[in-house]
Amino acid sequence: SRVSEDNAKIIAKKYFDCDVEKVLYAESINGCLAMIKSGRADLMFTSDILANYIIQRNPELKSSVLDKNMCIVMGLRNSDVQLRDSLNSAITKIKESGKYDQLYKTWIKDLPAGQEPSLTTIEKNADSETVYVGVTGDMPPLDYISADGKPAGFSIAFLGEVSRAIGKNIEIVVVDSQARYAALEAKKIDVFFWMFMPETKAAHARFNAENEEEAAFTKKFITTEPYCAFKPAFILKK
């Protein structure tokens, strides 16, 4: 949703050495997988985190992981610098405390296939300000909708720790993946929880300089420091 089809083809060739004939769009991860399984699409681009989750649950699929490093950040409106800074401080505290490693092990590394747990509601304080955070429920195991119909996954567990660290309530808002940036602009949410970015600020600056669409995007939005690292991956049929 951040790039046009023509630009997606250019990016795939320039940065991943992949010749793309056609870009197909789907409303969800399941829609992408259905196109791969039916032969309507050859592959989908994602992270190794999601690819590992998918192939554990779909033995007819495989992944091809690229030897590149990227990261996941939170996105905010460019006017919300103070909130961005408080989130950055929270990310640092959570990592330094060792809690981050515990959450990663529980919700990503050791998440049981077919028995994905739900998560209790993030605690709230009636006297605290509320920050509205958008998730899609469609990027497992970072975030998914559990069997009880509630958002769950690493994102929600991590946001519980963020809420305590910044002293503000966090209200989870499920948004459509393709509408996440529109929801930010319309102030329906204050933060969108996951955005893929180049691993370093220098790499992102180069990407901006070489990509007009990304440069226009970063005029509207700012991002936190990375809170999760990954390698790009393709999912395809065996």
Side-chain angles (χ1 to χ4, degrees):
S1 60
R2 276 164 59 189
V3 297
S4 63
E5 178 177 356
D6 287 343
N7 201 24
K9 294 178 181 179
I10 294 170
I11 291 171
K13 179 62 178 177
K14 185 170 185 177
Y15 298 101
F16 302 108
D17 195 27
C18 178
D19 291 309
V20 175
E21 180 180 348
K22 185 174 180 58
V23 178
L24 304 174
Y25 295 93
E27 295 296 325
S28 66
I29 295 296
N30 285 335
C32 292
L33 296 177
M35 287 195 289
I36 293 173
K37 292 177 181 180
S38 67
R40 288 180 290 156
D42 297 310
L43 51 82
M44 67 173 284
F45 175 79
T46 186
S47 69
D48 59 341
I49 295 173
L50 186 139
N52 290 336
Y53 178 96
I54 293 298
I55 62 177
Q56 286 175 3
R57 293 154 179 81
N58 296 270
E60 71 275 30
L61 301 178
K62 65 180 181 179
S63 67
S64 176
V65 179
L66 306 182
D67 188 21
K68 295 180 180 289
N69 295 315
M70 295 185 70
C71 67
I72 305 175
V73 298
M74 304 181 215
L76 305 87
R77 292 180 294 275
N78 60 10
S79 58
D80 289 335
V81 174
Q82 186 174 356
L83 176 57
R84 188 271 314 274
D85 292 344
S86 66
L87 291 172
N88 283 341
S89 178
I91 292 170
T92 299
K93 290 178 182 177
I94 295 167
K95 288 184 175 181
E96 289 178 348
S97 71
K99 187 65 178 178
Y100 178 91
D101 292 335
Q102 296 175 22
L103 294 176
Y104 192 95
K105 185 175 187 298
T106 299
W107 292 97
I108 295 180
K109 186 177 179 180
D110 295 342
L111 189 69
Q115 301 176 37
E116 293 84 352
S118 58
L119 190 70
T120 55
T121 304
I122 297 173
E123 296 179 6
K124 291 183 172 60
N125 185 327
D127 297 325
S128 298
E129 178 186 351
T130 297
V131 177
Y132 294 88
V133 179
V135 300
T136 64
D138 195 40
M139 188 57 67
L142 294 175
D143 70 79
Y144 58 85
I145 303 299
S146 63
D148 62 5
K150 296 179 181 180
F154 174 83
S155 298
I156 312 304
F158 187 72
L159 284 170
E161 297 299 321
V162 169
S163 176
R164 284 186 279 273
I166 66 176
K168 296 180 180 181
N169 295 325
I170 286 183
E171 184 74 28
I172 301 299
V173 181
V174 179
V175 298
D176 181 78
S177 181
Q178 299 301 321
R180 58 193 188 271
Y181 304 121
L184 263 180
E185 285 192 279
K187 298 187 178 181
K188 294 179 179 179
I189 57 175
D190 302 307
V191 181
F192 184 74
F193 195 73
W194 59 263
M195 291 168 52
F196 291 178
M197 288 286 186
E199 183 184 32
T200 65
K201 291 181 179 179
H204 191 215
R206 287 195 301 272
F207 187 60
N208 273 357
E210 298 168 351
N211 188 309
E212 291 183 3
E213 287 182 342
E214 185 70 5
F217 175 86
T218 54
K219 289 181 180 179
K220 296 180 180 180
F221 305 107
I222 54 176
T223 62
T224 64
E225 294 294 326
Y227 67 87
C228 191
F230 72 94
K231 289 184 180 296
F234 294 109
I235 298 176
L236 59 161
K237 291 174 72 172
K238 287 183 176 177

